[in-house]
Amino acid sequence: MTLPASVQGGPKNFSVRQFGMGFAHGKIILLGEHAVVYGAPALALPVPGLTVTAKAVLSSRPSGHPGDATFTMAGIVPAPAPVETGETLRRIVVDFKKTTGIKVDTPIDIVIDSGIPAGRGLGSSAACARSVVLALADLFGRQLNPGTIFDLVQAAENLTHGRASGIDTLATGSSTPVLLTGGVTREPEVEIDGIFVIGDSGEVGRTNEAVGMLRRRFQRDPQAQEEFLARVSTLTSLAVRDLADGQAGNFGARMIACHAALREAGLSTDRIDTLVGVALTAGSLGAKISGGGLGGCVIALADRPERAQEISSRLLGAGAERTWTVPVGRFARHGHS
Ligand code: PMV
């Protein structure tokens, strides 16, 4: 292709392709949300069916400043203020250029096609950020190592969430479950057979507000912080063991107990509590709110596909906007969904 005047001439440490593509997917937190911000363990599951694709091209518009980029949202448009999203994404462009040493002032036009509803604890912001980073890398023919990708996505997440643990950044790019403890990640062993059913309450969750609310409460009452972290850490650690031991029933019980801890911390809503109750009545092994809270999604565990279908239809009947399923163990290996 013919390069725009602003990228021609001078020593070049990159090559420009006609366009660059980047991909990422959604995630759901199984246990440990909020506590993970303070270094406690959290367990997240990738949701490969919820995808984001970003396409980046050099613009034919006149040359601008290093952060000059347009973002067009296709698919499910994010619920948070688009201006805020645009500023966060522009920051990625600036950081990407700084990190890679690529000096191009030509504006970049980026189209993000997202199938992840925003504000539901499904990793929409991290997945959008990741897809943009990867699209930029592809556009400029750069292979980024996982650490660099993490840093770029995480910087954007910190802008979006205030203080992000990194679990969304990791899980939206992982093909396997993620266990994050004190900033260190590892892949947990999964020996349980089951189907996780995600139900969208339709209420927009407010992660930033929820994280801030908890932080202020913990500053006023350090004892409450200690108790919350001890309670949730224990549940998550036991759940990780249940996962490895194939104890789906015990894992479900940890989910129920974790929901109680999050509800008592003021992070649930009446609608979420209703959906959790509906999932349990429909035969879930466990159910809870997931993610930042104050809205968002519930996650329930079913022991087999028929039960997952039943839970899903009861959730929809009780007002859930949508449901998704993520099989694990033999149901994943046999291609059920
Ligand atoms: O993006 P959400 O709503 O799933 O929230 C992420 C989980 C929190 O623990 C609340 C925040 C974080 O950065 O870990």
Side-chain angles (χ1 to χ4, degrees):
M1 72 180 288
T2 311
L3 296 180
S6 56
V7 288
Q8 289 175 348
K12 283 216 317 286
N13 58 357
F14 61 90
S15 57
V16 182
R17 298 185 176 170
Q18 211 157 10
F19 59 83
M21 300 292 294
F23 306 94
H25 53 71
K27 70 96 214 343
I28 188 99
I29 295 181
L30 298 179
L31 279 108
E33 52 271 268
H34 285 286
V36 68
V37 173
Y38 299 85
L43 196 55
L45 189 69
V47 184
L50 289 173
T51 59
V52 180
T53 304
K55 181 177 179 182
V57 294
L58 284 186
S59 173
S60 50
R61 288 182 288 118
S63 176
H65 51 86
D68 194 345
T70 66
F71 293 93
T72 308
M73 303 301 294
I76 298 174
V77 177
V83 176
E84 200 178 287
T85 309
E87 272 167 21
T88 305
L89 295 174
R90 257 184 286 281
R91 162 77 185 271
I92 295 175
V93 176
V94 174
D95 287 355
F96 172 83
K97 289 182 185 173
K98 212 187 283 174
T99 301
T100 55
I102 290 172
K103 291 191 174 46
V104 180
D105 282 348
T106 309
I108 300 170
D109 293 330
I110 299 174
V111 177
I112 301 173
D113 193 346
S114 175
I116 309 179
R120 304 295 207 275
L122 293 171
S124 157
S125 59
C128 283
R130 175 176 284 276
S131 69
V132 168
V133 167
L134 296 179
L136 290 170
D138 192 36
L139 178 66
F140 293 108
R142 281 297 181 89
Q143 284 277 345
L144 300 181
N145 65 46
T148 304
I149 297 170
F150 177 88
D151 289 345
L152 290 167
V153 177
Q154 185 62 8
E157 279 293 275
N158 279 328
L159 285 181
T160 308
H161 287 318
R163 177 181 159 192
S165 64
I167 189 131
D168 286 16
T169 299
L170 292 164
T172 51
S174 173
S175 56
T176 54
V178 170
L179 175 66
L180 179 69
T181 313
V184 178
T185 180
R186 88 170 159 85
E187 186 187 330
E189 207 184 322
V190 181
E191 289 299 333
I192 71 171
D193 300 321
I195 293 116
F196 285 100
V197 181
I198 302 165
D200 180 358
S201 72
E203 288 178 327
V204 174
R206 289 163 284 145
T207 302
N208 200 331
E209 194 181 319
V211 169
M213 181 188 91
L214 218 53
R215 188 178 53 240
R216 286 189 296 278
R217 183 163 153 232
F218 289 164
Q219 274 161 358
R220 283 195 310 271
D221 186 354
Q223 174 86 12
Q225 171 170 345
E226 210 175 297
E227 280 166 17
F228 177 81
L229 293 185
R231 189 171 167 190
V232 175
S233 295
T234 303
L235 288 170
T236 307
S237 302
L238 291 171
V240 170
R241 207 181 62 194
D242 299 334
L243 206 56
D245 291 347
Q247 297 294 330
N250 289 348
F251 188 94
R254 316 291 180 210
M255 292 172 74
I256 296 171
C258 189
H259 179 72
L262 293 166
R263 184 166 47 74
E264 284 164 35
L267 296 162
S268 191
T269 65
D270 289 346
R271 181 183 270 247
I272 296 271
D273 286 343
T274 301
L275 293 177
V276 166
V278 166
L280 292 174
T281 311
S284 300
L285 297 172
K288 62 181 276 293
I289 189 170
S290 177
L294 304 176
C297 287
V298 296
I299 172 104
L301 176 60
D303 60 352
R304 54 180 193 269
E306 303 73 40
R307 184 105 63 203
Q309 216 151 25
E310 175 68 17
I311 294 165
S312 172
S313 68
R314 296 257 210 114
L315 286 172
L316 291 169
E321 275 192 358
R322 291 160 280 213
T323 61
W324 299 272
T325 54
V326 185
V328 294
R330 74 187 164 94
F331 297 116
R333 289 193 287 274
H334 293 176
H336 290 271
S337 73

Coordinates of all heavy atoms in Angstrom, one line a residue, residues 100-180:
T100 N 6.0 0.6 21.9 CA 6.6 0.0 20.7 C 7.6 0.9 20.0 O 8.4 0.4 19.2 CB 5.5 -0.4 19.7 OG1 4.8 0.7 19.3 CG2 4.6 -1.5 20.2
G101 N 7.6 2.2 20.4 CA 8.5 3.1 19.7 C 8.1 3.4 18.3 O 8.9 3.9 17.5
I102 N 6.9 3.1 18.0 CA 6.4 3.4 16.6 C 6.0 4.8 16.5 O 5.1 5.3 17.3 CB 5.2 2.4 16.2 CG1 5.7 1.0 16.1 CG2 4.5 2.9 15.0 CD1 4.6 0.0 15.9
K103 N 6.6 5.6 15.6 CA 6.3 7.0 15.5 C 5.5 7.3 14.3 O 6.0 7.4 13.2 CB 7.6 7.8 15.5 CG 8.4 7.8 16.8 CD 9.5 8.8 16.9 CE 10.2 8.8 18.2 NZ 10.5 7.5 18.8
V104 N 4.2 7.3 14.5 CA 3.3 7.6 13.4 C 2.2 8.6 13.9 O 1.6 8.3 14.9 CB 2.5 6.4 12.9 CG1 1.6 6.7 11.8 CG2 3.5 5.3 12.5
D105 N 2.1 9.7 13.3 CA 1.1 10.7 13.7 C -0.2 10.6 12.8 O -1.2 11.2 13.1 CB 1.6 12.1 13.6 CG 2.5 12.4 14.9 OD1 2.5 11.6 15.8 OD2 3.2 13.4 14.9
T106 N -0.2 9.7 11.8 CA -1.4 9.5 11.0 C -2.5 9.0 11.9 O -2.3 8.1 12.6 CB -1.1 8.5 9.9 OG1 0.1 8.8 9.2 CG2 -2.2 8.4 8.9
P107 N -3.7 9.6 11.8 CA -4.8 9.1 12.6 C -5.1 7.7 12.3 O -4.9 7.2 11.1 CB -5.9 10.0 12.2 CG -5.3 11.2 11.5 CD -4.0 10.8 10.9
I108 N -5.6 7.0 13.2 CA -6.0 5.6 13.1 C -7.5 5.4 13.3 O -8.0 6.0 14.2 CB -5.2 4.7 14.1 CG1 -3.7 4.8 13.8 CG2 -5.6 3.2 13.9 CD1 -2.8 4.2 14.9
D109 N -8.1 4.8 12.3 CA -9.6 4.5 12.5 C -9.8 3.1 12.9 O -9.3 2.2 12.3 CB -10.3 4.8 11.1 CG -10.2 6.3 10.8 OD1 -10.2 7.1 11.7 OD2 -10.2 6.6 9.6
I110 N -10.5 3.0 14.0 CA -10.7 1.6 14.6 C -12.2 1.3 14.7 O -13.0 2.2 15.2 CB -10.1 1.5 16.0 CG1 -8.6 1.7 15.8 CG2 -10.3 0.2 16.6 CD1 -7.8 1.8 17.1
V111 N -12.6 0.2 14.2 CA -14.0 -0.3 14.3 C -14.0 -1.5 15.2 O -13.3 -2.4 15.1 CB -14.6 -0.7 12.9 CG1 -16.1 -1.2 13.1 CG2 -14.6 0.5 12.0
I112 N -14.8 -1.3 16.3 CA -14.9 -2.4 17.3 C -16.3 -3.1 17.2 O -17.3 -2.4 17.3 CB -14.7 -1.9 18.7 CG1 -13.4 -1.2 18.8 CG2 -14.9 -3.0 19.7 CD1 -13.1 -0.5 20.2
D113 N -16.3 -4.4 16.9 CA -17.6 -5.1 16.7 C -17.7 -6.0 18.0 O -17.0 -7.0 18.1 CB -17.5 -5.9 15.5 CG -18.9 -6.5 15.1 OD1 -19.8 -6.4 16.0 OD2 -19.1 -6.9 14.0
S114 N -18.5 -5.6 18.9 CA -18.6 -6.3 20.2 C -19.9 -7.0 20.4 O -21.0 -6.5 20.1 CB -18.4 -5.3 21.3 OG -18.6 -6.0 22.6
G115 N -19.8 -8.3 20.7 CA -21.0 -9.1 21.1 C -21.2 -9.2 22.6 O -22.0 -9.9 23.1
I116 N -20.4 -8.4 23.3 CA -20.5 -8.5 24.8 C -21.2 -7.3 25.3 O -20.8 -6.1 25.2 CB -19.0 -8.4 25.4 CG1 -18.1 -9.5 24.8 CG2 -19.1 -8.7 27.0 CD1 -16.7 -9.5 25.4
P117 N -22.4 -7.5 26.0 CA -23.1 -6.4 26.6 C -22.2 -5.7 27.6 O -21.6 -6.5 28.4 CB -24.4 -7.0 27.1 CG -24.2 -8.5 27.2 CD -23.1 -8.8 26.2
A118 N -22.2 -4.4 27.6 CA -21.3 -3.7 28.6 C -22.0 -3.6 30.0 O -23.2 -3.7 30.1 CB -20.9 -2.4 28.1
G119 N -21.2 -3.4 31.0 CA -21.8 -3.1 32.3 C -22.5 -4.3 32.9 O -23.4 -4.2 33.7
R120 N -22.1 -5.5 32.5 CA -22.7 -6.7 33.0 C -21.7 -7.6 33.7 O -22.0 -8.8 34.0 CB -23.4 -7.5 31.9 CG -24.4 -6.7 31.1 CD -25.6 -6.3 32.0 NE -26.8 -6.2 31.2 CZ -27.1 -5.0 30.6 NH1 -26.3 -4.0 30.6 NH2 -28.2 -4.9 29.9
G121 N -20.5 -7.2 33.9 CA -19.5 -8.0 34.5 C -19.0 -9.1 33.6 O -18.5 -10.2 34.0
L122 N -19.2 -8.9 32.3 CA -18.8 -9.9 31.3 C -17.4 -9.6 30.6 O -17.1 -10.2 29.6 CB -19.9 -10.1 30.3 CG -21.2 -10.7 30.8 CD1 -22.3 -10.7 29.8 CD2 -21.0 -12.2 31.3
G123 N -16.8 -8.6 31.1 CA -15.4 -8.3 30.6 C -15.4 -7.4 29.3 O -14.4 -7.4 28.6
S124 N -16.5 -6.7 29.1 CA -16.6 -5.9 27.8 C -15.5 -4.9 27.7 O -14.8 -4.9 26.6 CB -18.0 -5.2 27.8 OG -17.9 -4.1 27.0
S125 N -15.2 -4.2 28.7 CA -14.1 -3.1 28.6 C -12.8 -3.8 28.3 O -12.0 -3.3 27.5 CB -14.1 -2.2 29.8 OG -13.9 -2.9 31.0
A126 N -12.4 -4.8 29.1 CA -11.1 -5.4 28.9 C -11.0 -6.1 27.5 O -10.0 -6.0 26.9 CB -10.9 -6.5 30.0
A127 N -12.1 -6.7 27.1 CA -12.1 -7.4 25.8 C -11.9 -6.4 24.7 O -11.2 -6.6 23.7 CB -13.3 -8.3 25.6
C128 N -12.6 -5.2 24.8 CA -12.5 -4.2 23.8 C -11.1 -3.7 23.7 O -10.5 -3.5 22.7 CB -13.5 -3.0 24.1 SG -15.2 -3.4 23.6
A129 N -10.5 -3.4 24.9 CA -9.2 -2.9 25.0 C -8.2 -3.9 24.4 O -7.3 -3.5 23.6 CB -8.8 -2.6 26.5
R130 N -8.3 -5.2 24.8 CA -7.4 -6.2 24.2 C -7.5 -6.3 22.7 O -6.5 -6.4 22.0 CB -7.8 -7.5 24.9 CG -7.0 -8.7 24.3 CD -7.3 -10.0 25.1 NE -6.7 -10.0 26.4 CZ -5.4 -10.4 26.6 NH1 -4.7 -10.8 25.6 NH2 -4.9 -10.4 27.8
S131 N -8.7 -6.2 22.2 CA -8.9 -6.4 20.7 C -8.2 -5.2 20.0 O -7.6 -5.3 19.0 CB -10.4 -6.5 20.3 OG -11.1 -5.3 20.6
V132 N -8.3 -4.0 20.7 CA -7.7 -2.8 20.0 C -6.2 -2.9 20.1 O -5.5 -2.7 19.1 CB -8.1 -1.5 20.8 CG1 -7.3 -0.3 20.4 CG2 -9.6 -1.2 20.5
V133 N -5.6 -3.4 21.2 CA -4.1 -3.5 21.3 C -3.7 -4.5 20.2 O -2.7 -4.3 19.5 CB -3.8 -4.1 22.7 CG1 -2.3 -4.6 22.7 CG2 -4.0 -3.0 23.8
L134 N -4.4 -5.6 20.1 CA -4.0 -6.7 19.1 C -4.2 -6.2 17.7 O -3.4 -6.5 16.8 CB -4.7 -8.0 19.4 CG -4.5 -8.6 20.7 CD1 -5.3 -9.9 20.9 CD2 -3.0 -8.9 20.9
A135 N -5.2 -5.4 17.4 CA -5.4 -4.8 16.1 C -4.3 -3.8 15.7 O -3.8 -3.8 14.6 CB -6.8 -4.1 16.0
L136 N -3.9 -3.0 16.7 CA -2.8 -2.1 16.4 C -1.5 -2.9 16.2 O -0.7 -2.5 15.2 CB -2.6 -1.2 17.7 CG -3.7 -0.1 17.9 CD1 -3.5 0.5 19.2 CD2 -3.7 0.9 16.8
A137 N -1.2 -3.9 17.0 CA 0.0 -4.7 16.8 C 0.0 -5.3 15.4 O 1.0 -5.4 14.7 CB 0.1 -5.8 17.8
D138 N -1.2 -5.8 15.0 CA -1.3 -6.5 13.6 C -1.1 -5.4 12.5 O -0.4 -5.7 11.5 CB -2.7 -7.1 13.6 CG -2.8 -8.0 12.4 OD1 -1.8 -8.7 12.0 OD2 -3.9 -8.1 11.8
L139 N -1.7 -4.2 12.7 CA -1.6 -3.2 11.7 C -0.1 -2.8 11.5 O 0.3 -2.6 10.3 CB -2.4 -1.9 12.2 CG -2.3 -0.7 11.3 CD1 -3.0 -1.0 9.9 CD2 -3.0 0.5 12.0
F140 N 0.7 -2.8 12.6 CA 2.1 -2.4 12.4 C 3.0 -3.6 12.4 O 4.2 -3.4 12.6 CB 2.5 -1.4 13.6 CG 1.7 -0.1 13.5 CD1 0.7 0.2 14.3 CD2 2.1 0.8 12.5 CE1 0.1 1.4 14.2 CE2 1.4 2.0 12.3 CZ 0.4 2.3 13.2
G141 N 2.5 -4.8 12.2 CA 3.3 -6.0 12.0 C 4.2 -6.3 13.2 O 5.3 -6.8 13.1
R142 N 3.6 -6.1 14.4 CA 4.4 -6.3 15.6 C 3.8 -7.5 16.4 O 2.6 -7.6 16.5 CB 4.3 -5.1 16.5 CG 5.2 -3.9 16.2 CD 6.7 -4.4 16.3 NE 7.6 -3.3 15.9 CZ 8.0 -2.5 16.8 NH1 7.7 -2.5 18.1 NH2 8.9 -1.5 16.5
Q143 N 4.7 -8.3 16.9 CA 4.3 -9.4 17.8 C 4.6 -8.9 19.2 O 5.7 -8.6 19.6 CB 5.3 -10.6 17.6 CG 5.0 -11.4 16.4 CD 3.9 -12.4 16.6 OE1 3.5 -12.7 17.7 NE2 3.3 -12.9 15.5
L144 N 3.5 -8.8 20.0 CA 3.7 -8.3 21.4 C 3.7 -9.5 22.3 O 3.0 -10.5 22.1 CB 2.5 -7.4 21.8 CG 2.3 -6.1 21.0 CD1 1.1 -5.3 21.5 CD2 3.6 -5.3 21.0
N145 N 4.6 -9.5 23.3 CA 4.6 -10.6 24.2 C 3.4 -10.4 25.2 O 2.9 -9.3 25.4 CB 6.0 -10.7 24.9 CG 6.3 -9.6 25.8 OD1 5.4 -9.1 26.6 ND2 7.5 -9.0 25.7
P146 N 3.0 -11.5 25.9 CA 1.9 -11.5 26.8 C 2.0 -10.4 27.9 O 1.0 -9.8 28.2 CB 1.8 -12.9 27.4 CG 2.5 -13.7 26.4 CD 3.6 -12.9 25.8
G147 N 3.2 -10.1 28.4 CA 3.4 -9.1 29.4 C 3.1 -7.7 28.9 O 2.4 -6.9 29.6
T148 N 3.5 -7.4 27.7 CA 3.2 -6.1 27.1 C 1.8 -5.9 26.9 O 1.2 -4.9 27.1 CB 4.0 -6.0 25.8 OG1 5.4 -6.2 26.1 CG2 3.9 -4.6 25.2
I149 N 1.1 -7.0 26.3 CA -0.3 -6.9 26.1 C -1.0 -6.7 27.4 O -1.9 -5.8 27.5 CB -0.9 -8.2 25.4 CG1 -0.2 -8.4 24.1 CG2 -2.4 -8.2 25.3 CD1 -0.5 -9.8 23.4
F150 N -0.6 -7.4 28.4 CA -1.3 -7.2 29.8 C -1.1 -5.8 30.2 O -2.1 -5.2 30.6 CB -0.6 -8.2 30.8 CG -1.2 -8.0 32.2 CD1 -2.3 -8.7 32.6 CD2 -0.7 -7.1 33.1 CE1 -2.9 -8.5 33.8 CE2 -1.2 -6.9 34.3 CZ -2.3 -7.6 34.7
D151 N 0.1 -5.2 30.1 CA 0.3 -3.9 30.7 C -0.6 -2.8 29.9 O -1.1 -1.9 30.5 CB 1.8 -3.5 30.5 CG 2.6 -4.3 31.5 OD1 2.1 -4.8 32.4 OD2 3.9 -4.3 31.3
L152 N -0.7 -3.0 28.6 CA -1.5 -2.0 27.8 C -2.9 -2.1 28.1 O -3.6 -1.1 28.3 CB -1.2 -2.3 26.3 CG 0.2 -1.9 25.8 CD1 0.4 -2.4 24.4 CD2 0.4 -0.3 25.8
V153 N -3.5 -3.4 28.2 CA -4.9 -3.5 28.5 C -5.2 -3.1 30.0 O -6.2 -2.4 30.2 CB -5.3 -5.0 28.3 CG1 -6.8 -5.2 28.7 CG2 -5.1 -5.4 26.8
Q154 N -4.3 -3.5 30.9 CA -4.5 -3.1 32.3 C -4.5 -1.6 32.5 O -5.2 -1.2 33.4 CB -3.4 -3.8 33.1 CG -3.5 -3.7 34.6 CD -4.8 -4.4 35.1 OE1 -5.5 -5.1 34.4 NE2 -5.0 -4.2 36.4
A155 N -3.6 -0.9 31.8 CA -3.6 0.6 32.0 C -5.0 1.1 31.6 O -5.6 2.0 32.3 CB -2.6 1.2 31.1
A156 N -5.6 0.6 30.5 CA -7.0 1.0 30.1 C -8.0 0.6 31.2 O -8.9 1.3 31.5 CB -7.3 0.4 28.8
E157 N -7.8 -0.6 31.7 CA -8.8 -1.1 32.7 C -8.7 -0.3 34.0 O -9.7 0.0 34.7 CB -8.4 -2.6 33.1 CG -9.0 -3.6 32.1 CD -10.5 -3.6 32.2 OE1 -11.0 -4.3 33.0 OE2 -11.1 -2.9 31.3
N158 N -7.5 0.2 34.4 CA -7.4 1.0 35.6 C -8.1 2.3 35.4 O -8.7 2.9 36.3 CB -5.9 1.3 35.9 CG -5.3 0.1 36.7 OD1 -6.0 -0.6 37.4 ND2 -4.1 -0.2 36.5
L159 N -8.1 2.8 34.1 CA -8.9 4.1 33.9 C -10.4 3.8 34.0 O -11.2 4.6 34.5 CB -8.6 4.6 32.4 CG -7.3 5.3 32.2 CD1 -7.2 5.7 30.7 CD2 -7.1 6.5 33.1
T160 N -10.8 2.6 33.5 CA -12.3 2.3 33.5 C -12.7 1.9 34.9 O -13.8 2.4 35.3 CB -12.5 1.1 32.6 OG1 -11.9 1.4 31.3 CG2 -14.0 0.8 32.4
H161 N -12.0 1.1 35.6 CA -12.5 0.6 36.9 C -11.9 1.3 38.1 O -12.3 0.9 39.2 CB -12.1 -0.9 37.0 CG -12.9 -1.8 36.2 ND1 -14.2 -1.7 36.0 CD2 -12.6 -2.9 35.4 CE1 -14.7 -2.6 35.2 NE2 -13.7 -3.4 34.8
G162 N -11.0 2.3 37.9 CA -10.5 2.9 39.1 C -9.2 2.1 39.5 O -8.1 2.5 39.3
R163 N -9.4 0.9 40.1 CA -8.3 0.1 40.5 C -8.6 -1.3 40.2 O -9.4 -2.0 40.9 CB -8.1 0.3 42.0 CG -7.0 -0.6 42.6 CD -6.9 -0.3 44.1 NE -6.2 -1.4 44.8 CZ -6.2 -1.5 46.1 NH1 -6.9 -0.7 46.9 NH2 -5.6 -2.5 46.6
A164 N -8.1 -1.8 39.1 CA -8.5 -3.1 38.6 C -7.5 -4.2 39.0 O -6.3 -3.9 39.0 CB -8.6 -3.1 37.1
S165 N -8.0 -5.4 39.4 CA -7.1 -6.4 39.9 C -6.3 -7.1 38.7 O -5.2 -7.6 39.0 CB -7.9 -7.5 40.5 OG -8.8 -8.1 39.6
G166 N -6.8 -7.0 37.5 CA -6.1 -7.7 36.4 C -6.8 -8.9 36.0 O -6.5 -9.5 34.9
I167 N -7.9 -9.3 36.7 CA -8.5 -10.6 36.4 C -9.2 -10.5 35.0 O -9.2 -11.5 34.2 CB -9.4 -11.1 37.5 CG1 -9.9 -12.6 37.2 CG2 -10.6 -10.2 37.8 CD1 -9.7 -13.5 38.3
D168 N -9.9 -9.4 34.7 CA -10.6 -9.3 33.5 C -9.6 -9.2 32.3 O -9.8 -9.8 31.3 CB -11.4 -8.0 33.4 CG -12.7 -8.1 34.3 OD1 -12.7 -9.0 35.1 OD2 -13.6 -7.2 34.1
T169 N -8.5 -8.5 32.6 CA -7.4 -8.4 31.5 C -6.9 -9.8 31.2 O -6.7 -10.1 30.0 CB -6.3 -7.5 32.1 OG1 -6.8 -6.2 32.4 CG2 -5.1 -7.4 31.1
L170 N -6.7 -10.6 32.1 CA -6.2 -12.0 31.9 C -7.2 -12.9 31.3 O -7.0 -13.6 30.3 CB -5.7 -12.6 33.2 CG -4.5 -11.9 33.8 CD1 -4.3 -12.4 35.3 CD2 -3.2 -12.3 33.0
A171 N -8.4 -12.9 31.9 CA -9.4 -13.9 31.4 C -10.0 -13.6 30.0 O -10.4 -14.6 29.4 CB -10.6 -13.9 32.5
T172 N -10.0 -12.4 29.6 CA -10.5 -12.1 28.3 C -9.5 -12.5 27.1 O -9.9 -12.4 26.0 CB -10.9 -10.6 28.1 OG1 -9.7 -9.8 28.5 CG2 -12.1 -10.2 29.0
G173 N -8.3 -12.9 27.5 CA -7.4 -13.4 26.5 C -7.0 -14.8 26.8 O -6.0 -15.3 26.1
S174 N -7.6 -15.5 27.7 CA -7.2 -16.9 28.1 C -8.2 -17.9 27.5 O -9.4 -17.6 27.5 CB -7.2 -17.0 29.6 OG -6.9 -18.3 29.9
S175 N -7.7 -19.0 27.1 CA -8.6 -20.1 26.6 C -9.0 -21.1 27.7 O -9.8 -22.0 27.5 CB -8.0 -20.8 25.4 OG -6.7 -21.3 25.8
T176 N -8.4 -20.9 28.9 CA -8.6 -21.8 30.0 C -9.0 -20.9 31.2 O -8.7 -19.7 31.3 CB -7.4 -22.6 30.4 OG1 -6.3 -21.7 30.6 CG2 -7.0 -23.6 29.3
P177 N -9.7 -21.5 32.3 CA -10.0 -20.7 33.5 C -8.7 -20.1 34.1 O -7.6 -20.6 33.9 CB -10.6 -21.8 34.4 CG -11.1 -22.9 33.5 CD -10.1 -22.9 32.4
V178 N -8.9 -19.0 34.8 CA -7.8 -18.3 35.4 C -8.0 -18.1 36.9 O -9.1 -17.8 37.3 CB -7.8 -16.8 34.8 CG1 -6.8 -15.9 35.5 CG2 -7.5 -16.9 33.3
L179 N -6.9 -18.4 37.6 CA -6.9 -18.2 39.0 C -5.9 -17.1 39.3 O -4.7 -17.3 39.0 CB -6.6 -19.5 39.8 CG -6.4 -19.3 41.3 CD1 -7.7 -19.0 42.0 CD2 -5.8 -20.6 41.9
L180 N -6.3 -16.0 39.9 CA -5.4 -14.9 40.2 C -5.3 -14.7 41.7 O -6.3 -14.5 42.3 CB -5.9 -13.6 39.5 CG -5.1 -12.4 39.7 CD1 -3.7 -12.5 39.0 CD2 -5.8 -11.1 39.2

